[in-house]
Amino acid sequence: METSFALTGKGYVIVAADTTAARSIVKMKVDEDKIKEISPHLLMAYSGEPGDTVQFAEFVERNIRLYQIRNLYPLRPSAAASWIRRSLADSLRSRSPYSVNLLVGGYDTATHEPKLYWIDYLGTQVDVPFGAHGYGSYFALSLLDRYHDPEASLEEGLATLKRCVDEVAKRLVVSPGRYKVKVVDKDGVREVEI
Amino acid sequence: MARRYDSRTTIFSPEGRLYQIEYAMEAISHAGTVLGVLAKDGVVLAAEKKVTGKLLDLSGEGGYGGSGEKIFLLNSNVIGGVAGLTSDANSLVNYARTAAQQHLLSYNEDIPVELLAQRLCDMKQGYTQYGGLRPFGVSLLYAGYDPHYQFQLYHSDPSGNYSGWKATCIGANNGTAQSLLKQEYKDDILVKDAIALVLKVMSKTMDSTTLGSEKLEFAVLTLDESTKQPKAKIYKPSEIDALLRAEGLAKTDGDTEMKSA
């Protein structure tokens, strides 16, 4: 089942999401990218109702891009997350709400800090050191609680992420096979292998 | 029909000019002087109050969180100084505050200074294009701080143009003030020296020989030492007099003008 993790470290945020696209009990695809690079220093992992997720992620991506074109600098992670939260909260109170859960991770180039926000389809937004969505979160959060270190290097951060991925693979009945992992730091966004 | 192209803002003259906009700018060059200086660690604004009669009651601290008729707090990170028609200015100040709050509601952050200037300029520009309405007879100085570009000073005019400055002046005698600023401004000036510079230029450009709180408004935007958040200070009349005494620019006791408060 759909699972996404994210954790902060010293000057970076790691965002990971499984790559399966499923319909009912069938795996339709195993290399789906569910992490959008919405600005040079901002990542967004999305999960939830298929269709809603892509539609909402593209809506966010285009709007954040528009702000950047108009103002020459991109929105800061906190401002972007607040705007996304508001979009979801407005959507929830409309006739057809989006049911999308998000992990928004970014590097604030103004304060030189990594930031991570946990957002759900009800418009809940929390500024967190680590977070997870989906069935995997039931196993991963306790591990992250034990092993997360905000001062950890990227290697240590990826090792903690590996623990989460392995635990989910071991314990979850319908665990996803592969994950896509992206990192954002002062140099921008890049994909890494675990 | 010499005035054929004067009466409507939206009609170009044969030379390609918009007279109403130029008249609006002319009106501002008779208004009280407003002066801004950008320093390394803050921004300083000063304004000359034009209307002073002996019977005008200046005992109150004024509305809008300051001594106020020319300097206003637009948002917690932006101070505005206005020159021109006061009533037009009030309406623009109200609009600016609404725009700043709308940004806060959407993005949960203080509005970036340039974005606030843009919001007002979009509105001002509209009045140079849509028919039947006159433009705002107001120029503004925005002294602000945001994490993108730190301290900033902007100026906007009735046509909807805006520009960023290190030191600038609007209103009466702005030419004299600007050439004085050009001579005296140093790139790495600190707030302490910027305050002295602003008061010095102000004392030279204002009509009256002595400075006092009944003629002067004053504000400084700095960063709070502990919180690192922008701290806007609009001086109260008593604080302005204390500042002038400290700078050695206050009037002597022999002065016959009525004291405030």
Side-chain angles (χ1 to χ4, degrees):
Chain A
M1 300 294 262
E2 269 195 324
T3 294
S4 50
F5 315 112
L7 62 153
T8 58
K10 194 168 176 57
Y12 66 85
V13 184
I14 304 172
V15 182
D18 73 279
T19 55
T20 44
R23 245 187 103 178
S24 181
I25 55 163
V26 183
K27 272 186 193 169
M28 308 292 283
K29 194 166 180 265
V30 288
D31 58 353
E32 174 84 341
D33 185 358
K34 301 182 204 172
I35 308 172
K36 252 204 179 346
E37 292 153 29
I38 51 176
S39 79
H41 291 90
L42 203 60
L43 287 171
M44 182 173 82
Y46 51 88
S47 56
E49 193 67 30
D52 278 15
T53 50
V54 177
Q55 180 75 9
F56 185 73
E58 284 179 357
F59 168 76
V60 167
E61 184 185 33
R62 291 298 109 211
N63 273 283
I64 299 232
R65 181 79 188 109
L66 178 63
Y67 186 98
Q68 194 182 332
I69 291 167
R70 276 186 176 156
N71 299 295
L72 302 178
Y73 48 81
L75 273 174
R76 298 169 64 198
S78 60
S82 300
W83 185 85
I84 293 166
R85 190 212 76 82
R86 177 142 232 111
S87 300
L88 274 176
D90 288 344
S91 155
L92 184 73
R93 287 153 186 83
S94 74
R95 188 71 76 83
S96 54
Y98 286 113
S99 101
V100 182
N101 299 315
L102 306 162
L103 289 168
V104 177
Y107 183 82
D108 193 333
T109 49
T111 60
H112 309 289
E113 274 178 322
K115 297 297 276 180
L116 175 63
Y117 298 91
W118 183 95
I119 299 172
D120 74 4
Y121 74 103
L122 294 169
T124 317
Q125 187 212 57
V126 206
D127 181 345
V128 289
F130 52 81
H133 276 300
Y135 281 117
S137 69
Y138 297 112
F139 308 100
L141 284 175
S142 55
L143 276 168
L144 286 165
D145 198 32
R146 172 68 185 77
Y147 292 107
H148 176 260
D149 174 9
E151 294 297 307
S153 67
L154 182 59
E155 289 70 31
E156 291 169 315
L158 287 170
T160 308
L161 177 71
K162 192 80 173 44
R163 279 179 190 276
C164 299
V165 168
D166 290 345
E167 187 67 15
V168 172
K170 186 177 175 185
R171 297 291 175 186
L172 185 62
V173 179
V174 277
S175 61
R178 294 179 56 231
Y179 290 84
K180 200 172 263 284
V181 184
K182 294 185 186 181
V183 173
V184 57
D185 60 14
K186 64 176 178 13
D187 303 318
V189 169
R190 67 181 182 280
E191 197 178 327
V192 293
E193 293 294 324
I194 54 161
Chain B
M1 282 286 277
R3 306 186 65 85
R4 193 186 298 179
Y5 303 101
D6 287 18
S7 55
R8 294 245 243 134
T9 52
T10 52
I11 304 291
F12 280 108
S13 77
E15 309 92 76
R17 292 158 59 178
L18 292 169
Y19 283 122
Q20 283 298 321
I21 310 298
E22 292 183 22
Y23 296 157
M25 298 210 215
E26 183 59 26
I28 289 156
S29 65
H30 298 298
T33 315
V34 183
L35 201 89
V37 170
L38 180 65
K40 229 170 85 176
D41 52 346
V43 201
V44 184
L45 273 189
E48 177 192 6
K49 276 192 274 197
K50 272 276 185 184
V51 279
T52 38
K54 287 202 169 188
L55 293 177
L56 191 65
D57 186 0
L58 293 164
S59 59
E61 292 286 87
Y64 299 116
S67 53
E69 64 172 59
K70 308 213 70 176
I71 292 182
F72 300 89
L73 190 68
L74 300 183
N75 197 31
S76 59
N77 64 327
V78 189
I79 308 172
V82 300
L85 302 179
T86 309
S87 50
D88 283 16
N90 284 332
S91 148
L92 278 178
V93 165
N94 191 23
Y95 183 82
R97 287 172 172 167
T98 312
Q101 289 309 117
Q102 271 166 359
H103 187 94
L104 184 67
L105 187 68
S106 293
Y107 300 103
N108 196 27
E109 69 169 10
D110 282 335
I111 190 166
V113 190
E114 188 171 356
L115 193 54
L116 182 62
Q118 279 174 357
R119 284 283 126 76
L120 270 112
C121 284
D122 285 349
M123 167 134 119
K124 288 205 215 185
Q125 190 281 142
Y127 284 79
T128 70
Q129 190 167 185
Y130 298 112
L133 302 165
R134 80 177 161 79
F136 283 97
V138 184
S139 267
L140 286 116
L141 291 188
Y142 312 81
Y145 175 89
D146 65 54
H148 298 284
Y149 299 123
Q150 275 72 44
F151 292 105
Q152 294 150 79
L153 176 66
Y154 291 97
H155 161 235
S156 74
D157 70 20
S159 71
N161 275 323
Y162 76 94
S163 42
W165 294 81
K166 290 172 179 174
T168 192
C169 176
I170 52 177
N173 299 321
N174 69 76
T176 326
Q178 272 186 30
S179 58
L180 267 170
L181 287 170
K182 210 187 287 178
Q183 280 168 28
E184 308 257 337
Y185 185 81
K186 309 235 173 11
D187 261 338
D188 48 3
I189 194 169
L190 294 175
V191 161
K192 191 168 70 68
D193 303 317
I195 290 174
L197 173 61
V198 162
L199 290 176
K200 184 180 161 190
V201 174
M202 219 50 189
S203 71
K204 285 192 177 169
T205 50
M206 274 166 66
D207 301 334
S208 54
T209 46
T210 48
L211 287 172
S213 60
E214 69 275 11
K215 281 271 172 75
L216 193 70
E217 283 185 46
F218 198 80
V220 179
L221 185 86
T222 48
L223 270 195
D224 189 288
E225 290 286 337
S226 52
T227 61
K228 298 292 169 200
Q229 292 300 304
K231 188 175 72 176
K233 180 174 167 59
I234 299 176
Y235 283 59
K236 296 190 174 80
S238 55
E239 292 171 323
I240 291 174
D241 285 324
L243 180 74
L244 288 170
R245 273 196 301 279
E247 295 287 332
L249 290 164
K251 57 174 173 261
T252 52
D253 284 342
D255 207 302
T256 48
E257 282 212 23
M258 206 163 77
K259 281 223 177 84
S260 69

